[in-house]
Amino acid sequence: MLPVVTARLTPPPIPRSRSAPSLPRGRGLKRQRHLASCQRMKESWSAFDTFEPHFRPLVVIELAKNTKEETKEWFTQRIVDKKKNGGAQLLVKPLVKEDGGKIDGNQNLYLVGASHLRLLLGAETVGLVKECNDNSMRTFTYSSRNTFKDFAEDNHDFLTMAECQYIIKHELENLRAKDERMIPGYPQAKLYPGKSIMRRLLTSGILLQIFPLHDTEELKKLRYTWYGQVKISYQPLDEIRCYFGETIALYFGFLEYFTFALVPMALIGIPYYVFAWEDYDKYVMFASFNLLWSTVILEVWKRCCAIMTYRWGTLLMKRQFEEPRPGFHGVLGINPVTGKEEPVYASIKRRIRIYLVSLPFVCLCLYFSLYVMMIYFELETWALDFHEENESSYSNLLLFVPSIIYAIVIEMMNRVYRYAAEFLTSWENHRLESSHQNHLILKVLVFNFLNCFASLFYIAFVLFDMKLLRQSLATLLITSQILNQFVEALLPYWLQKRHNTKVKKRVYSVKVDTDLSLFEQVNLEKEMGTYLGTFDDYLELFLQFGYVSLFSCVYPLAAVFAVLNNITEMYSDALKMCRVFKRPFSQPTANIGVWQLAFETMSVISVVTNCALIGLSPQVNALFPDSKTDLILIVVLVEHILLALKFVMAFVIPDKPRDIQIKLARLEFESLEALKQQQMKLAAESLKEETHGEKKKN
Amino acid sequence: MLPVVTARLTPPPIPRSRSAPSLPRGRGLKRQRHLASCQRMKESWSAFDTFEPHFRPLVVIELAKNTKEETKEWFTQRIVDKKKNGGAQLLVKPLVKEDGGKIDGNQNLYLVGASHLRLLLGAETVGLVKECNDNSMRTFTYSSRNTFKDFAEDNHDFLTMAECQYIIKHELENLRAKDERMIPGYPQAKLYPGKSIMRRLLTSGILLQIFPLHDTEELKKLRYTWYGQVKISYQPLDEIRCYFGETIALYFGFLEYFTFALVPMALIGIPYYVFAWEDYDKYVMFASFNLLWSTVILEVWKRCCAIMTYRWGTLLMKRQFEEPRPGFHGVLGINPVTGKEEPVYASIKRRIRIYLVSLPFVCLCLYFSLYVMMIYFELETWALDFHEENESSYSNLLLFVPSIIYAIVIEMMNRVYRYAAEFLTSWENHRLESSHQNHLILKVLVFNFLNCFASLFYIAFVLFDMKLLRQSLATLLITSQILNQFVEALLPYWLQKRHNTKVKKRVYSVKVDTDLSLFEQVNLEKEMGTYLGTFDDYLELFLQFGYVSLFSCVYPLAAVFAVLNNITEMYSDALKMCRVFKRPFSQPTANIGVWQLAFETMSVISVVTNCALIGLSPQVNALFPDSKTDLILIVVLVEHILLALKFVMAFVIPDKPRDIQIKLARLEFESLEALKQQQMKLAAESLKEETHGEKKKN
């Protein structure tokens, strides 16, 4: 009955001409910088077009070298076309050398930007949340722009560059086919109404890549505050967020938090190593502390995370009103929530795919992985037997063969599985990017968990060899940490550096970084590797958490190594982000998503393993010389008490600090009151109309 | 910065005079019934006063016999006073005999009602959610009244009587002192600004009781459909909800659901009894089924509950914007969420009280209860020994003494503890009624759980006497069920019936129920017992669930008894609600609250107990003649797998059905859009003002 409000991108009420921009009352120091665009604001919406005196390149689009002119023209036309014609209403410029000449003859690099006004309207479309003058966080709307902090018509820093790039990416991704049946010039690249054009261009190989440009000046500043100084300090999370977006900033926030949280464990773990404590009571104490501590840190992280993401505005961003992810396909229908037209896909179909295909497949893979592990252990015993029987340098070498084979097989399985998981998750056709990510993460996580820890579990609970367990644990932990740091950051950095020099030489005479022209910068950046998201970084932390907590009572020193690793990890990850990869698109996020659940599950499992390990330890066994039964019963009892305690603690500690709760409740209250107001207005209008109609009748 | 909307109870836009009530388009059959009140609607708000041609008594207030005239006058004046003067703007009439004469000289019974308009405005204040014409559920506002289903200016059935009574109760409870320092005529009954007047009158003994009137006609209809017919059918939950409110309807809904859910368990349990199955594998199967089944039914209940409460509109009612509960006290301050003036109380103080006083007290009581139980078992053994040594009829009697003493002590402890728990929870000073109830329930629950099951646990896991366990379980279950039904419903019903006849005789000549005058009805109802809430009913179900699930593998027949009991329970509870007690005030609720958690916790505990019982059973022990250790390890493994399965199931089954989720998301989306609209309007206004201001300057 009530018409759904679709105010987005319809012409906002523009005030009649005023003599001067009057709204920024003393705020916005850079007011005078872009007076030209400010003048434009006074013109009506219809005057808004692709003409822009200050074109600021934000995003680079690279098309294939041999793309047909017809296609290029159509695509750029669709990008600059008016919103009401189904375009994205952005600005596009081909990349040219400073002297105006093209290099390779065929133009295939385009710079995408947008007018300030367009970006503000885009911020409303994506639902950015910004701080208001009264320090509350509110969803940005163009019409209420003057209530926001630091907003001024001429303050082009109101939206950070990362936000602008996110908006442009969002607009490009949501550029959908209207009545085109195919991409012009490519009859095999079919289109249908509602299909994302970008997606089709990418899948048919016409669009090679799309990436946001670095801001060399800002990046230099960030690098300096982040890892340029030698002094020990917190990471500049807010600056990282401004430059790289919330997902990456949250990863670094979590890395920092997690490192600090591990310090107490590490400190308590050191004397165990130094004094070679082997008393069971000390082990029990360490393990108990560890288990409760891990619950506390995970609960407290939720609070810290809520504080951070509230400040960044992403806590309030509504996930369910997100536009569907670009890869999402389905027949065009009406979204039951928003009432807007978009592709729809029956959730029952998705569930069938998840439960009848993905789940059995994952289980099969897990079984296969276990099977491979069993073969490895058999090979190992066989090699050991062989070595003992006929000892020689040849047999000595043979001892390593099973491990090497196993490592290679595991690596291969990991890659194949990862590919399969990505394919399956795409095929499940999730509507939202976040739920797609969560399903992918869950799949990969379970498999990696098994691959990493199954052998340790086998050693601990089947072979009962604590010495071997400690040894394997230490080896796995330390080698994986060193390897990771090397493969992940240092090696790419070195390769990148070499490559950069080569490219620079090729493109231009060698210069210092800062003096690179835009042309050079784009050509350098387009060759850089693509950052594939925080997945692998979190996975590394997750496995580390497993090494630290699962068998903590066997190897208390693990926490020390973890802390040391994380400190260098912070620097190498920062280096990686700033120097190795293309700038990634910013991605708003309110929490670390499924990782929270993963870490919590790990901490529950670690209660079980630690209790079992303590029960198995010879010191504890010596206390119950007669009755193993009593021992087991006591261990089980302790385990249940610890688990109960964990759940009570998780229940009692609120997920959000009280002041954030109040702020959220206030926003909800206001939005409900606003709804009431709107209903009132509608009712009043309908009353008026009816009265009017009756009068006419009479 | 944005002014908080405080549109409540400010004059709504009244349409200018119209010739005829034009709004109900074809709806509302009873349109002509109250034309007089419809005429009144056309008058302006200021004309709205205590004069009402059709006074419909809804709520009865009984003051103490010797209440001073001054106090009566002040109180009734405050009730009828205009909202803007701090009154409740309701209608009050002293109860008089039909012939106009008073009975006991001193008038102390008042009838409270309200005009139709006042009730509609009150519905907005309490935030009632009603169905709209487009079948969506929305918060009712007076101004948008015409968008609601079945609304017509002259349809006085738009609000159910229960809703009207709830509104009046809410308004009376929120009648707060302005500048009065005390209740007039009672200098010892201190008041301070913001103190609930009703609460002070109740605590100082001036106000004896306040209760809603029965609607004899409706009640008769309800009784007929509920338990008047012999045919087997579902309970008329929607009718129950209309008459008694959501809390009670939800209890009956849960009772019905729970009974149906127990049927499969009962059916599977019967052959165990009939064929006297004692094989361990059958027991294991029964227990496993039981455990997974109990998880499923609890998860599915959440979905059923969501469907029901969405239909009733309470799923959407916002708890956090609730006004503070009447008993809540504190210094007058600003609510940070709504921005309205109301008593505030630091939550840190409350938490200190909970964790430093209530929690230790509860623990102490639990310890004491266990201690008493131990004494009981000692007494029992002592009595048994004494009986064996010198067997006589005297010693035979002595055998029962410990049980009798224990039963009496338990009962006394229960009562004292209940009183203490109520006192402590009041003292914790919770802001919301719901959180007060939850804390009270949690306290009482833990204690009752221990009292009921501690002895069974002791028998099972300390004495290892399965035969005694089965016997105690059967005795406890059956006697408690029979006793409960008798004490709870049949006895009061009989007493009430006797009493009614007496009162009727005293007041008037004996007549049939239907012909009672209002005067008689009020005098009858005021003597009826007060229904103290669903607490004891849920507690009974909870303990029953405990008997059924905790030791289900020892006594599969428990489910059968539970089903039989619940069927009669439904009828006896219905009888109790309709004939024994005063009509209770309706209480909106979205779910069964802390009971859901309680039942879920019970089902987790039952996994542990059942696994332990199976491990203890001689049949299973016979399978592992050599190694108790293996047995225990296998039992623990199975237990962990079952627990993991439970959690995965609870995680995978969504709490709300998909269509409800979509409806909720749509409402949230709309309310956010509305907020944006409002911000737009405000921005536009501020722009206008500024332009105006500038023009003036120029």
Side-chain angles (χ1 to χ4, degrees):
Chain A
M1 198 64 183
L2 290 172
V4 172
V5 194
T6 51
R8 289 183 167 178
L9 284 173
T10 51
I14 295 283
R16 273 151 297 172
S17 61
R18 287 180 282 128
S19 50
S22 60
L23 282 158
R25 292 159 242 186
R27 276 172 287 103
L29 290 167
K30 303 164 195 170
R31 195 194 294 195
Q32 303 305 320
R33 235 175 53 177
H34 294 270
L35 213 69
S37 69
C38 189
Q39 291 293 330
R40 189 180 37 68
M41 297 296 281
K42 285 183 220 148
E43 295 160 24
S44 79
W45 179 256
S46 59
F48 164 69
D49 58 7
T50 54
F51 175 77
E52 171 81 9
H54 295 273
F55 177 77
R56 185 194 188 194
L58 291 166
V59 170
V60 177
I61 289 179
E62 187 182 10
L63 298 179
K65 283 245 149 89
N66 52 357
T67 311
K68 294 187 183 145
E69 278 304 320
E70 172 191 9
T71 316
K72 284 182 190 171
E73 207 167 293
W74 169 77
F75 186 43
T76 49
Q77 182 53 39
R78 285 300 308 268
I79 293 175
V80 299
D81 214 353
K82 288 228 167 44
K83 202 77 193 172
K84 64 167 190 269
N85 301 334
Q89 213 160 350
L90 301 172
L91 308 176
V92 170
K93 263 189 186 174
L95 179 72
V96 287
K97 263 193 186 170
E98 269 62 24
D99 51 19
K102 293 179 183 183
I103 19 164
D104 290 1
N106 207 340
Q107 178 58 40
N108 64 338
L109 282 168
Y110 290 89
L111 300 173
V112 183
S115 69
H116 184 50
L117 176 60
R118 179 70 191 84
L119 288 172
L120 291 176
L121 291 166
E124 183 176 335
T125 311
V126 299
L128 278 196
V129 174
K130 286 271 182 184
E131 193 174 359
C132 281
N133 286 324
D134 59 351
N135 295 325
S136 67
M137 304 297 298
R138 272 164 220 278
T139 308
F140 178 79
T141 60
Y142 181 72
S143 322
S144 65
R145 60 195 183 280
N146 290 307
T147 57
F148 286 87
K149 208 168 186 171
D150 294 333
F151 182 86
E153 301 291 5
D154 52 357
N155 177 11
H156 284 213
D157 292 342
F158 175 68
L159 297 174
T160 65
M161 189 173 171
E163 281 167 345
C164 294
Q165 289 167 336
Y166 172 68
I167 291 164
I168 286 184
K169 177 188 164 225
H170 180 267
E171 293 295 341
L172 286 176
E173 277 178 346
N174 281 285
L175 194 60
R176 287 171 191 283
K178 292 178 298 183
D179 41 8
E180 294 100 334
R181 315 299 316 164
M182 47 152 220
I183 286 172
Y186 294 84
Q188 78 284 7
K190 294 264 180 295
L191 285 176
Y192 52 86
K195 172 72 186 174
S196 163
I197 288 172
M198 273 252 307
R199 179 79 180 178
R200 177 54 80 230
L201 286 171
L202 273 170
T203 49
S204 49
I206 302 162
L207 180 61
L208 294 183
Q209 60 175 342
I210 167 167
F211 62 92
L213 270 177
H214 268 298
D215 180 339
T216 40
E217 205 178 315
E218 279 297 316
L219 184 62
K220 226 165 140 191
K221 267 191 237 161
L222 177 65
R223 276 209 309 256
Y224 180 72
T225 50
W226 201 354
Y227 61 89
Q229 299 151 296
V230 268
K231 75 174 167 65
I232 288 168
S233 65
Y234 293 106
Q235 294 177 95
L237 289 179
D238 287 337
E239 280 85 355
I240 297 172
R241 177 241 162 185
C242 280
Y243 195 83
F244 288 112
E246 288 80 14
T247 306
I248 288 166
L250 210 55
Y251 163 68
F252 281 102
F254 182 68
L255 178 59
E256 185 175 285
Y257 173 84
F258 188 59
T259 309
F260 277 111
L262 282 177
V263 167
M265 283 197 204
L267 288 181
I268 296 177
I270 289 172
Y272 283 80
Y273 178 74
V274 175
F275 304 116
W277 283 345
E278 294 278 335
D279 316 339
Y280 96 100
D281 54 345
K282 291 205 181 77
Y283 269 99
V284 172
M285 268 178 55
F286 180 70
S288 309
F289 168 77
N290 228 347
L291 299 174
L292 295 181
W293 182 243
S294 66
T295 311
V296 171
I297 61 173
L298 289 175
E299 285 301 312
V300 174
W301 163 250
K302 281 192 221 157
R303 297 165 67 91
C304 293
C305 180
I307 293 172
M308 258 195 287
T309 51
Y310 179 81
R311 193 173 65 224
W312 297 342
T314 47
L315 188 62
L316 294 172
M317 273 178 105
K318 296 285 163 184
R319 274 273 160 219
Q320 63 264 46
F321 309 146
E322 245 183 336
E323 301 259 324
R325 61 184 286 267
F328 179 69
H329 57 85
V331 287
L332 218 60
I334 300 292
N335 180 331
V337 175
T338 60
K340 288 178 191 167
E341 210 180 30
E342 67 170 42
V344 279
Y345 184 75
S347 80
I348 182 75
K349 278 197 220 167
R350 186 179 306 126
R351 248 177 283 164
I352 286 176
R353 287 179 175 192
I354 292 174
Y355 290 115
L356 296 189
V357 180
S358 296
L359 188 65
F361 174 78
V362 171
C363 291
L364 206 76
C365 287
L366 295 181
Y367 175 77
F368 186 69
S369 163
L370 281 180
Y371 194 78
V372 168
M373 190 193 74
M374 297 312 296
I375 293 175
Y376 157 67
F377 276 109
E378 264 171 43
L379 272 179
E380 187 103 289
T381 5
W382 176 81
L384 213 66
D385 290 349
F386 186 85
H387 175 67
E388 270 167 22
E389 274 170 36
N390 30 0
E391 212 160 323
S392 68
S393 62
Y394 159 72
S395 73
N396 215 346
L397 261 178
L398 195 72
L399 270 181
F400 291 97
V401 172
S403 297
I404 292 168
I405 294 176
Y406 185 56
I408 292 170
V409 171
I410 284 271
E411 186 57 32
M412 275 166 55
M413 271 162 54
N414 254 339
R415 275 171 198 277
V416 172
Y417 180 82
R418 182 78 169 262
Y419 183 79
E422 269 164 22
F423 173 78
L424 277 177
T425 316
S426 274
W427 181 68
E428 285 165 14
N429 198 13
H430 293 275
R431 189 177 161 269
L432 300 184
E433 184 61 37
S434 51
S435 96
H436 174 87
Q437 284 299 326
N438 287 350
H439 277 260
L440 178 62
I441 290 174
L442 206 64
K443 283 195 193 74
V444 179
L445 206 63
V446 174
F447 192 72
N448 270 279
F449 179 84
L450 207 78
N451 272 346
C452 265
F453 297 114
S455 63
L456 293 176
F457 273 93
Y458 187 79
I459 294 171
F461 301 115
V462 180
L463 304 181
F464 297 121
D465 190 341
M466 290 306 127
K467 208 155 187 170
L468 182 61
L469 177 63
R470 194 173 304 183
Q471 200 182 310
S472 312
L473 193 60
T475 322
L476 268 173
L477 181 67
I478 296 165
T479 52
S480 77
Q481 286 184 348
I482 292 173
L483 259 176
N484 261 327
Q485 302 250 336
F486 183 72
V487 174
E488 228 183 62
L490 299 179
L491 184 69
Y493 177 63
W494 179 71
L495 286 176
Q496 185 62 38
K497 202 134 198 182
R498 258 192 51 184
H499 177 82
N500 276 10
T501 333
K502 239 195 309 189
V503 171
K504 271 184 232 166
K505 260 185 197 153
R506 191 165 53 94
V507 174
Y508 230 68
S509 57
V510 189
K511 287 198 221 171
V512 231
D513 268 19
T514 39
D515 291 315
L516 278 178
S517 71
L518 181 64
F519 181 75
E520 289 164 310
Q521 193 198 338
V522 170
N523 272 290
L524 265 180
E525 285 184 17
K526 88 181 165 83
E527 300 295 329
M528 282 171 139
T530 306
Y531 181 65
L532 293 170
T534 49
F535 183 87
D536 290 294
D537 297 319
Y538 276 116
L539 187 64
E540 206 186 317
L541 279 185
F542 173 74
L543 297 177
Q544 185 192 71
F545 184 60
Y547 289 126
V548 172
S549 63
L550 280 181
F551 307 98
S552 63
C553 64
V554 173
Y555 190 56
L557 216 59
V560 180
F561 284 107
V563 169
L564 289 179
N565 173 69
N566 286 357
I567 292 171
T568 56
E569 175 92 22
M570 258 181 251
Y571 286 99
S572 69
D573 279 351
L575 190 72
K576 188 174 78 176
M577 291 311 308
C578 294
R579 311 288 306 234
V580 177
F581 288 121
K582 281 191 196 85
R583 183 176 190 172
F585 275 110
S586 148
Q587 189 64 47
T589 185
N591 49 52
I592 59 172
V594 80
W595 290 107
Q596 181 80 39
L597 186 71
F599 276 81
E600 278 166 15
T601 311
M602 181 72 96
S603 90
V604 169
I605 297 174
S606 69
V607 171
V608 182
T609 53
N610 277 294
C611 287
L613 283 176
I614 289 171
L616 285 173
S617 72
Q619 295 91 342
V620 176
N621 273 268
L623 287 178
F624 297 87
D626 313 317
S627 162
K628 286 273 162 292
T629 321
D630 283 2
L631 166 67
I632 297 175
L633 286 179
I634 286 173
V635 168
V636 170
L637 187 72
V638 169
E639 187 222 334
H640 279 74
I641 291 171
L642 280 173
L643 281 178
L645 251 175
K646 271 183 93 75
F647 281 101
V648 169
M649 269 162 60
F651 186 76
V652 167
I653 302 174
D655 285 359
K656 286 172 194 138
R658 212 181 139 65
D659 61 320
I660 302 277
Q661 277 175 26
I662 288 175
K663 281 171 184 164
L664 292 180
R666 192 195 299 151
L667 202 84
E668 211 184 332
F669 175 76
E670 278 175 22
S671 84
L672 276 168
E673 288 287 321
L675 185 66
K676 271 193 209 163
Q677 291 278 322
Q678 202 200 6
Q679 284 179 322
M680 264 171 150
K681 231 181 63 190
L682 282 172
E685 271 166 26
S686 70
L687 264 176
K688 243 185 230 168
E689 267 170 39
E690 244 167 285
T691 326
H692 193 69
E694 259 169 54
K695 271 186 191 163
K696 264 191 185 170
K697 265 186 213 165
N698 297 356
Chain B
M1 197 66 184
L2 292 173
V4 172
V5 194
T6 50
R8 290 183 168 176
L9 284 174
T10 51
I14 296 279
R16 272 151 299 170
S17 62
R18 287 180 283 126
S19 51
S22 62
L23 282 158
R25 291 160 244 183
R27 277 173 286 102
L29 291 166
K30 302 163 195 172
R31 195 194 291 196
Q32 303 304 322
R33 231 175 57 181
H34 293 270
L35 211 71
S37 69
C38 190
Q39 292 293 329
R40 189 181 36 70
M41 295 299 278
K42 288 185 217 146
E43 294 160 25
S44 80
W45 178 256
S46 58
F48 165 69
D49 57 7
T50 54
F51 174 76
E52 170 84 7
H54 295 271
F55 177 79
R56 185 196 188 191
L58 290 166
V59 171
V60 177
I61 289 178
E62 187 181 11
L63 298 178
K65 283 243 149 84
N66 52 359
T67 309
K68 295 187 182 144
E69 279 304 321
E70 170 189 14
T71 314
K72 284 183 193 173
E73 206 166 296
W74 168 78
F75 186 44
T76 50
Q77 183 53 40
R78 284 303 304 269
I79 293 175
V80 299
D81 214 354
K82 289 231 166 42
K83 201 76 192 170
K84 62 168 192 262
N85 301 334
Q89 211 159 347
L90 301 171
L91 309 175
V92 170
K93 264 189 184 173
L95 179 73
V96 287
K97 264 193 190 170
E98 269 61 26
D99 51 19
K102 293 179 182 181
I103 20 164
D104 290 1
N106 206 341
Q107 178 57 42
N108 63 340
L109 282 168
Y110 290 90
L111 301 172
V112 183
S115 69
H116 184 50
L117 176 61
R118 178 71 190 86
L119 288 173
L120 290 178
L121 291 165
E124 184 176 334
T125 311
V126 299
L128 277 198
V129 174
K130 286 268 180 188
E131 194 176 357
C132 282
N133 285 325
D134 59 351
N135 295 324
S136 67
M137 306 296 298
R138 273 163 218 277
T139 309
F140 178 80
T141 60
Y142 181 72
S143 321
S144 65
R145 61 194 182 281
N146 290 307
T147 58
F148 286 88
K149 208 169 185 169
D150 294 332
F151 181 85
E153 301 291 6
D154 52 356
N155 177 11
H156 285 212
D157 291 344
F158 176 68
L159 297 175
T160 65
M161 190 173 171
E163 280 168 346
C164 295
Q165 289 166 335
Y166 171 68
I167 291 164
I168 288 185
K169 177 189 165 225
H170 179 267
E171 294 295 341
L172 286 176
E173 277 179 345
N174 280 285
L175 194 60
R176 287 171 190 283
K178 292 178 298 183
D179 42 6
E180 295 100 333
R181 316 298 314 165
M182 48 155 218
I183 286 172
Y186 294 84
Q188 78 283 8
K190 293 267 181 291
L191 285 177
Y192 52 86
K195 173 75 186 171
S196 162
I197 289 171
M198 273 253 307
R199 178 79 182 180
R200 178 55 80 230
L201 285 171
L202 272 169
T203 49
S204 50
I206 301 162
L207 179 61
L208 294 184
Q209 62 175 341
I210 166 168
F211 62 92
L213 269 179
H214 267 299
D215 180 338
T216 41
E217 205 177 315
E218 279 297 315
L219 184 62
K220 226 166 141 191
K221 267 191 237 160
L222 176 65
R223 276 209 308 257
Y224 180 72
T225 51
W226 202 354
Y227 61 87
Q229 299 151 294
V230 268
K231 76 174 167 70
I232 289 168
S233 64
Y234 293 106
Q235 295 176 96
L237 290 178
D238 287 337
E239 281 85 356
I240 298 171
R241 176 241 162 185
C242 279
Y243 195 86
F244 288 112
E246 287 80 14
T247 305
I248 288 165
L250 209 54
Y251 162 70
F252 281 101
F254 183 69
L255 178 59
E256 186 175 284
Y257 173 84
F258 188 59
T259 310
F260 277 110
L262 282 177
V263 167
M265 282 197 204
L267 287 181
I268 296 177
I270 288 172
Y272 283 81
Y273 177 74
V274 175
F275 304 116
W277 284 346
E278 293 279 334
D279 317 339
Y280 96 101
D281 53 344
K282 292 207 181 73
Y283 268 98
V284 170
M285 267 178 56
F286 181 71
S288 308
F289 169 77
N290 228 347
L291 299 175
L292 295 181
W293 182 243
S294 66
T295 311
V296 172
I297 61 174
L298 289 176
E299 286 301 312
V300 174
W301 163 249
K302 280 193 222 158
R303 296 165 68 92
C304 294
C305 180
I307 293 173
M308 260 195 287
T309 51
Y310 178 81
R311 193 173 64 225
W312 296 342
T314 46
L315 188 62
L316 294 170
M317 274 180 103
K318 296 285 162 185
R319 273 273 159 221
Q320 63 265 47
F321 311 145
E322 248 183 332
E323 301 259 323
R325 60 184 287 268
F328 179 69
H329 56 85
V331 285
L332 218 60
I334 301 292
N335 180 332
V337 175
T338 59
K340 288 179 188 165
E341 210 181 32
E342 65 169 45
V344 279
Y345 184 76
S347 81
I348 181 77
K349 277 196 219 166
R350 184 180 308 128
R351 248 175 284 163
I352 287 175
R353 287 179 176 190
I354 292 174
Y355 291 115
L356 296 188
V357 180
S358 296
L359 188 65
F361 174 79
V362 171
C363 291
L364 207 76
C365 287
L366 293 181
Y367 175 77
F368 186 69
S369 164
L370 280 180
Y371 194 76
V372 167
M373 189 194 74
M374 296 312 295
I375 294 174
Y376 157 68
F377 277 108
E378 264 172 43
L379 271 181
E380 188 101 290
T381 3
W382 175 81
L384 213 66
D385 289 349
F386 185 85
H387 174 67
E388 270 168 23
E389 274 171 34
N390 28 3
E391 212 160 321
S392 68
S393 63
Y394 160 72
S395 74
N396 216 346
L397 261 178
L398 195 72
L399 270 180
F400 292 97
V401 171
S403 296
I404 293 167
I405 294 176
Y406 185 56
I408 293 171
V409 171
I410 283 271
E411 188 56 34
M412 275 166 54
M413 272 163 53
N414 254 340
R415 276 171 197 278
V416 172
Y417 180 82
R418 182 79 169 261
Y419 183 80
E422 269 163 21
F423 173 80
L424 275 178
T425 315
S426 274
W427 180 68
E428 284 164 15
N429 197 16
H430 293 275
R431 187 177 163 270
L432 300 183
E433 184 63 36
S434 51
S435 96
H436 174 88
Q437 283 300 328
N438 287 351
H439 277 261
L440 178 62
I441 290 174
L442 206 64
K443 284 195 192 73
V444 179
L445 207 60
V446 173
F447 192 72
N448 269 281
F449 179 83
L450 207 78
N451 272 346
C452 265
F453 298 114
S455 62
L456 293 175
F457 273 95
Y458 188 79
I459 294 170
F461 301 116
V462 180
L463 303 182
F464 299 118
D465 191 342
M466 290 305 126
K467 209 156 187 166
L468 182 62
L469 178 62
R470 195 173 304 183
Q471 200 181 310
S472 313
L473 193 60
T475 323
L476 268 172
L477 181 66
I478 296 165
T479 52
S480 77
Q481 287 184 348
I482 292 173
L483 259 175
N484 261 327
Q485 303 248 340
F486 184 72
V487 174
E488 230 184 60
L490 301 178
L491 185 69
Y493 177 63
W494 179 71
L495 286 174
Q496 185 61 37
K497 202 134 200 183
R498 262 193 47 187
H499 178 80
N500 276 10
T501 334
K502 239 194 310 189
V503 171
K504 271 186 232 167
K505 262 185 197 150
R506 188 164 56 96
V507 173
Y508 230 69
S509 58
V510 189
K511 287 198 222 172
V512 231
D513 268 20
T514 41
D515 292 313
L516 277 177
S517 72
L518 181 65
F519 181 76
E520 290 165 307
Q521 193 198 339
V522 170
N523 273 292
L524 264 180
E525 286 185 17
K526 88 179 165 84
E527 301 294 331
M528 281 171 140
T530 306
Y531 181 65
L532 293 171
T534 49
F535 182 88
D536 290 294
D537 296 319
Y538 276 116
L539 188 63
E540 206 185 318
L541 279 186
F542 173 74
L543 297 177
Q544 186 193 69
F545 184 60
Y547 289 125
V548 171
S549 63
L550 280 182
F551 308 98
S552 63
C553 64
V554 173
Y555 191 55
L557 217 58
V560 180
F561 284 108
V563 170
L564 290 178
N565 172 68
N566 285 358
I567 292 171
T568 55
E569 175 92 22
M570 260 182 248
Y571 287 98
S572 69
D573 279 353
L575 189 74
K576 188 174 80 175
M577 290 311 307
C578 294
R579 313 285 309 230
V580 177
F581 288 123
K582 280 192 198 82
R583 181 177 191 170
F585 275 110
S586 148
Q587 189 63 47
T589 183
N591 48 52
I592 60 172
V594 82
W595 291 107
Q596 182 79 39
L597 188 70
F599 275 81
E600 277 166 14
T601 310
M602 181 72 95
S603 91
V604 168
I605 297 173
S606 69
V607 171
V608 181
T609 53
N610 277 295
C611 287
L613 283 177
I614 288 172
L616 284 173
S617 73
Q619 295 91 341
V620 176
N621 272 267
L623 286 178
F624 296 88
D626 313 317
S627 162
K628 286 269 161 294
T629 322
D630 282 2
L631 166 66
I632 297 176
L633 286 178
I634 286 173
V635 168
V636 170
L637 187 71
V638 169
E639 185 221 335
H640 280 74
I641 291 171
L642 281 172
L643 280 177
L645 252 176
K646 273 182 91 76
F647 281 101
V648 169
M649 270 161 59
F651 186 75
V652 167
I653 301 174
D655 285 359
K656 285 170 194 139
R658 213 180 138 64
D659 61 319
I660 303 274
Q661 276 175 28
I662 287 175
K663 281 171 184 164
L664 292 179
R666 193 195 299 150
L667 203 85
E668 210 185 332
F669 175 77
E670 278 173 22
S671 85
L672 276 167
E673 287 288 322
L675 184 67
K676 270 194 207 163
Q677 291 278 320
Q678 202 200 12
Q679 283 179 326
M680 264 171 150
K681 232 181 62 192
L682 282 171
E685 271 166 26
S686 72
L687 264 176
K688 246 187 230 166
E689 267 169 40
E690 241 167 286
T691 326
H692 195 69
E694 258 169 54
K695 269 186 191 162
K696 265 191 185 167
K697 266 186 210 163
N698 292 357

